[in-house]
């Protein structure tokens, strides 16, 4: 089944991030924690929606203990800030015992914590679980992406410099896993959601490297745009990955080093069907 692409407009109208709206949410979260009541995954989603429309800057730092922070965000900072605000625990940060004001979040740390501390679930399970995280894991030294599931196949996420924080969809995008944070109680909304796989091959840094004529065309287009993908040899290695990231940043796209439909369209490359 195909999920509709959601846009921020309706949510921006419904969920304003003024202090008047934020205060009851924060007070409710604090009361739940103090009373020993479990924090629900829905609270992460509710708070995330209040920030739709705010700005995105890759590498920005969000003070996790500042309840009135309104950006800029990057995807991991947004997800880790939401978890801390809901449950007062650091997750997906360089050190989960650091000062929350300076704790640095990264998709690679989310992948690490999913293995050590959290609960890995399928993307389909995450799609039906409000507040669950959905992760595209980065390779070492690379960049990934993370979003919060709305339980209906959609997301709230710090998406890109062009879009900022938006509501979107999981379908048609590449994901590696869903993640549940142990300190949060989640509830499922129904049967597993059917999440469509990307319809085209997604070119990215893998081991062994992806190779072929499409990679060569990607490299050629990057070179034409003044970037250095390394040799035009049809081998998607670290230099090509770095050039893709630079291109995505220059076009204010999702910065993940992967050439999917949006990046390919911006480059002028046609991707083969998956």
């Amino acid at each position: 089944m195909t999920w509709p692409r959601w846009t921020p407009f309706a949510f921006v109208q419904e969920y304003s991030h003024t202090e008047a709206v934020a205060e009851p949410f924060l007070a409710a979260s604090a009361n739940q924690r103090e009373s020993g009541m479990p924090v629900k995954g829905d609270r992460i989603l509710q708070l995330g929606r209040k920030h739709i429309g705010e700005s995105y800057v890759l590498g920005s730092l969000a003070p996790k203990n500042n309840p009135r922070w309104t950006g800029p965000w990057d995807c991991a900072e947004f997800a880790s800030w939401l978890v801390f605000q809901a449950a007062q625990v650091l997750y997906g940060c360089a050190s989960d015992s650091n000062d929350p004001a300076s704790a640095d979040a990264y998709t690679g740390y989310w992948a690490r914590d999913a293995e050590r501390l959290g609960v890995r679930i399928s993307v389909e399970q995450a799609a039906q679980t409000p507040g669950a995280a959905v992760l595209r894991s980065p390779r070492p030294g690379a960049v990934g992406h993370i979003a919060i599931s709305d339980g209906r196949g959609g997301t709230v996420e710090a998406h890109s410099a062009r879009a900022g924080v938006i509501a979107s969809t999981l379908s048609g995008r590449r994901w590696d896993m869903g993640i549940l944070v142990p300190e949060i109680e989640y509830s499922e909304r129904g049967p597993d959601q059917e999440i469509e796989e990307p319809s085209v091959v997604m070119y990215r840094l893998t081991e062994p490297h992806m190779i072929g004529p499409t990679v060569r065309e990607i490299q050629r287009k990057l070179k034409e745009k003044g970037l250095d993908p390394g040799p035009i040899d049809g081998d998607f290695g670290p230099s090509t990955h770095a050039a893709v990231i630079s291109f995505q940043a220059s076009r204010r796209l999702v910065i993940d080093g992967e050439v999917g439909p949006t990046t390919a369209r911006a480059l002028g490359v046609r991707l083969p069907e998956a």
Side-chain angles (χ1 to χ4, degrees):
M1 99 186 257
T2 301
W3 291 91
R5 181 161 186 83
W6 291 15
T7 61
F9 179 72
F11 286 117
V12 170
Q13 289 185 311
E14 184 176 355
Y15 299 101
S16 167
H17 54 269
T18 61
E19 286 190 13
V21 174
E23 291 291 354
F25 176 90
L26 298 170
S29 293
N31 290 340
Q32 274 192 305
R33 291 190 298 269
E34 290 171 5
S35 67
M37 294 173 60
V39 175
K40 303 287 188 179
D42 276 313
R43 286 201 169 273
I44 294 177
L45 179 62
Q46 291 165 13
L47 181 55
R49 283 172 168 167
K50 292 178 173 67
H51 292 267
I52 287 173
E54 293 172 359
S55 65
Y56 173 105
V57 174
L58 179 67
S60 58
L61 178 69
K64 312 302 180 294
N65 58 349
N66 181 351
R68 293 178 180 81
W69 187 256
T70 56
W73 309 95
D74 74 9
C75 64
E77 289 289 327
F78 185 61
S80 292
W81 183 89
L82 291 174
V83 168
F84 189 86
Q85 289 301 308
Q88 294 293 290
V89 294
L90 286 174
Y91 196 92
C93 297
S95 171
D96 292 330
S97 60
N98 273 2
D99 178 355
S102 58
D104 182 27
Y106 167 52
T107 49
Y109 302 144
W110 270 88
R112 176 205 65 196
D113 285 355
E115 298 293 340
R116 297 180 183 177
L117 307 173
V119 178
R120 282 187 60 165
I121 59 175
S122 70
V123 174
E124 289 73 21
Q125 288 173 310
Q128 71 176 77
T129 307
V134 188
L135 180 68
R136 185 181 311 141
S137 300
R139 291 189 59 80
V143 183
H145 192 68
I146 190 166
I148 301 299
S149 168
D150 70 356
R152 295 188 173 94
T155 67
V156 175
E157 60 190 275
H159 182 271
S160 61
R162 177 179 294 179
V165 178
I166 63 170
S168 188
T169 182
L170 290 168
S171 276
R173 304 165 72 184
R174 194 185 71 79
W175 304 100
D176 293 308
M177 69 181 84
I179 302 172
L180 304 181
V181 177
E183 289 81 0
I184 296 170
E185 184 176 288
Y186 299 86
S187 58
E188 296 180 349
R189 282 198 167 141
D192 283 2
Q193 300 287 349
E194 183 180 343
I195 304 301
E196 291 185 351
E197 295 292 326
S199 60
V200 294
V201 177
M202 310 281 279
Y203 286 87
R204 60 194 187 277
L205 185 61
T206 59
E207 192 59 49
H209 295 171
M210 301 181 79
I211 59 174
T214 303
V215 176
R216 190 184 302 274
E217 180 66 5
I218 290 169
Q219 293 170 328
R220 189 177 68 79
K221 292 291 188 179
L222 289 166
K223 189 80 170 179
E224 286 178 1
K225 297 180 188 307
L227 300 167
D228 181 14
I232 311 300
D233 57 3
D235 184 317
F236 199 114
S239 295
T240 301
H241 172 80
V244 170
I245 287 176
S246 295
F247 175 75
Q248 290 171 328
S250 71
R251 295 301 179 94
R252 298 165 61 84
L253 305 175
V254 172
I255 300 172
D256 58 7
E258 299 192 7
V259 181
T262 302
T263 298
R265 187 162 50 249
L267 277 171
V269 172
R270 182 171 182 174
L271 300 178
E273 293 184 1

